[in-house]
Amino acid sequence: MQRRYTSLAAAGIATALTLTLSGCGAGQGHVTLKLVAADYGDGTGPGSRQYWDQLTRAFEKKHPDIRIDVDVYSWKDVDKKVADLVRKGQAPDLAQIGAYVDYAADGKLYSADELLSIPVQANLQPPLAEAGEVGRVQYGIPFAASTRRLFYNKKLFAEAGITEAPKTWDDVAKDAELLKKQGVKTPYALPLGPEETQAETLNWLISGGGGYTDEIGKYAIDSPANVKTLTWLRDDLVGKGLTGGDPATLNRADAFAGFADGDVGMLNGHPALIKQAEAKGIDYGTADLPGRNGPATSTLGVSDWMMAFKHNGHRAQAGKFLDYVYSDANVLTFSHDFGLLPVTTSGAQKMAGDRRFGRLQDFVGPLRDAQFYPANKTSWPEVAKSVKSQMGAAVGPKGDPSSILSDLQNTADAADTAGG
């Protein structure tokens, strides 16, 4: 299975073109860079705005000839904001959002090696750097990352007589049966609702030895391994009433909320669930994703991206700012504030053993072997949309995994061909 690296999902962007306060060529006079960024806040604090305000003030003290104008948008708005600006001919200098590939394919972005100093580019974690490549040239610069692990409620496990986290799919089914007998509302939460179906699906495809693509990057959605995985989910988990309801109607946010409320025995989760569960006093553990015959050797990885547009010609200034953004101090501050993984090798090394990061450290190691969405394909957004609309039905009581995966494969092949 070829690892494909992609976006974490969502980002924020904003308005206006870059202003040159004096002169018009790069390096002449003062320059203002426009940055549009996504908001990683959870609504209980100042969010990303405070992070960027503090970072840009410190940068501007060191570089008085460069000012940074930042607009922060919610994840539901940010990608559209950037797309609207680009369409109007007002592309920002920098955008920190969820996807880069369309802009790279249209020749609108600087490559990473045109922007970053050699030490900074070399310090990006290799799987994430490769995820930002189109045609072996890196355009997407990873900004935030996460991986997935199995979360389980220790109290509910103990009450059901379960002494350790499941390691195999059979363990998952057996433990879910025990939890169900104990009266647990949702023994295993399987969120295949429209919010993030593509993520939960890929978790299971990976642990079953499959994925969305094959070794050479071609879509392999209808592979025998994937059919077996969804058939097992339909027959051995959903069909036995172990998911607490119809997975096609369960969104990730609701599954996480259920876990934090103590109503879910286990589920696949990313680092944001740590804070959510601890805020409600849940005694939980995490473990590698269970696989067909043992712990899965890989997990889902997600990355959000930083990119620099050519439109205003401020390559040198943008590169200087990005070198500062990717310093260890700034990378680790962001990871600490928002519960996400450092995208630099030195940042990950410094996080290890640092008590401030608690259980977040458990999610760093799996990033080395993580599989990502095929986000370097321009066809992926259309394919992901189809996965969201159809995958839940595949594991329902009357679901036909083989037929639905075949339909998705046809959609993916057609979209891939159309995208060139």
Side-chain angles (χ1 to χ4, degrees):
M1 168 61 49
Q2 182 181 19
R3 290 184 316 204
R4 285 290 173 189
Y5 309 87
T6 158
S7 199
L8 253 162
I13 332 202
T15 196
L17 39 162
T18 300
L19 306 173
T20 16
L21 301 183
S22 64
C24 45
Q28 297 181 7
H30 290 75
V31 165
T32 297
L33 298 178
K34 168 62 69 176
L35 165 64
V36 177
D39 189 0
Y40 289 84
D42 60 6
T44 62
S48 296
R49 166 58 64 186
Q50 178 172 289
Y51 172 80
W52 286 114
D53 283 349
Q54 293 175 346
L55 185 152
T56 55
R57 282 199 299 268
F59 174 80
E60 289 168 355
K61 285 182 180 179
K62 294 176 178 288
H63 304 279
D65 57 330
I66 304 174
R67 296 194 63 80
I68 313 297
D69 181 11
V70 184
D71 286 324
V72 177
Y73 291 86
S74 71
W75 276 110
K76 67 183 179 64
D77 295 326
V78 67
D79 287 314
K80 183 178 185 302
K81 288 288 184 181
V82 173
D84 288 345
L85 290 171
V86 172
R87 187 167 53 250
K88 293 175 183 177
Q90 299 175 354
D93 296 285
L94 297 156
Q96 186 272 297
I97 53 176
Y100 67 88
V101 66
D102 284 340
Y103 301 121
D106 290 342
K108 296 183 182 297
L109 302 180
Y110 289 115
S111 63
D113 59 7
E114 291 178 302
L115 295 161
L116 303 175
S117 64
I118 291 174
V120 171
Q121 186 175 9
N123 194 33
L124 296 172
Q125 293 203 52
L128 294 170
E130 292 172 26
E133 293 181 357
V134 175
R136 298 187 180 278
V137 177
Q138 184 185 354
Y139 295 97
I141 305 171
F143 180 76
S146 71
T147 54
R148 300 296 193 268
R149 287 173 64 78
L150 180 79
F151 283 71
Y152 60 97
N153 185 311
K154 289 184 175 180
K155 179 175 180 289
L156 297 180
F157 267 45
E159 290 173 347
I162 306 168
T163 58
E164 61 180 4
K167 295 181 173 62
T168 68
W169 290 356
D170 286 344
D171 292 340
V172 169
K174 179 186 69 176
D175 292 347
E177 288 276 13
L178 293 172
L179 291 164
K180 183 180 179 181
K181 289 178 182 178
Q182 193 65 25
V184 174
K185 183 177 179 180
T186 306
Y188 188 97
L190 185 67
L192 293 178
E195 180 187 1
E196 205 186 39
T197 319
Q198 78 282 4
E200 183 67 17
T201 298
L202 187 52
N203 281 323
W204 283 95
L205 299 186
I206 290 170
S207 64
Y212 289 128
T213 56
D214 62 17
E215 298 80 13
I216 61 173
K218 286 180 62 65
Y219 282 114
I221 297 174
D222 63 349
S223 69
N226 291 347
V227 173
K228 288 182 181 179
T229 294
L230 295 187
T231 301
W232 185 89
L233 282 173
R234 181 195 65 188
D235 295 344
D236 291 81
L237 206 62
V238 181
K240 294 181 179 179
L242 302 177
T243 57
D246 182 3
T249 64
L250 180 65
N251 282 322
R252 184 195 68 188
D254 296 325
F256 279 19
F259 187 81
D261 288 338
D263 294 328
V264 172
M266 52 185 155
L267 79 170
N268 295 327
H270 58 61
L273 185 53
I274 294 173
K275 181 178 179 181
Q276 195 170 347
E278 291 178 351
K280 292 289 190 74
I282 297 297
D283 184 14
Y284 69 94
T286 71
D288 292 337
L289 300 185
R292 187 180 296 278
N293 300 308
T297 58
S298 184
T299 186
L300 166 66
V302 177
S303 178
D304 299 323
W305 303 98
M306 179 72 76
M307 62 209 72
F309 287 88
K310 297 178 179 179
H311 181 75
N312 298 307
H314 294 148
R315 180 187 63 80
Q317 294 89 345
K320 189 174 292 187
F321 176 63
L322 291 177
D323 275 357
Y324 185 76
V325 168
Y326 286 91
S327 66
D328 283 344
N330 289 323
V331 167
L332 288 174
T333 295
F334 182 85
S335 294
H336 179 266
D337 289 351
F338 300 105
L340 291 162
L341 306 182
V343 298
T344 61
T345 299
S346 59
Q349 291 169 343
K350 289 183 177 181
M351 176 182 280
D354 189 332
R355 293 181 180 178
R356 292 181 305 152
F357 295 98
R359 293 181 178 179
L360 183 63
Q361 298 171 77
D362 295 337
F363 291 79
V364 177
L367 196 58
R368 289 190 296 269
D369 299 306
Q371 293 185 35
F372 293 71
Y373 310 127
N376 59 353
K377 290 176 170 286
T378 56
S379 56
W380 171 242
E382 182 177 345
V383 175
K385 182 178 178 181
S386 296
V387 169
K388 288 182 178 184
S389 67
Q390 298 183 56
M391 197 59 74
V395 300
K398 298 181 180 179
D400 185 345
S402 180
S403 177
I404 287 178
L405 290 178
S406 179
D407 288 345
L408 289 170
Q409 180 70 39
N410 291 336
T411 297
D413 289 341
D416 218 19
T417 300

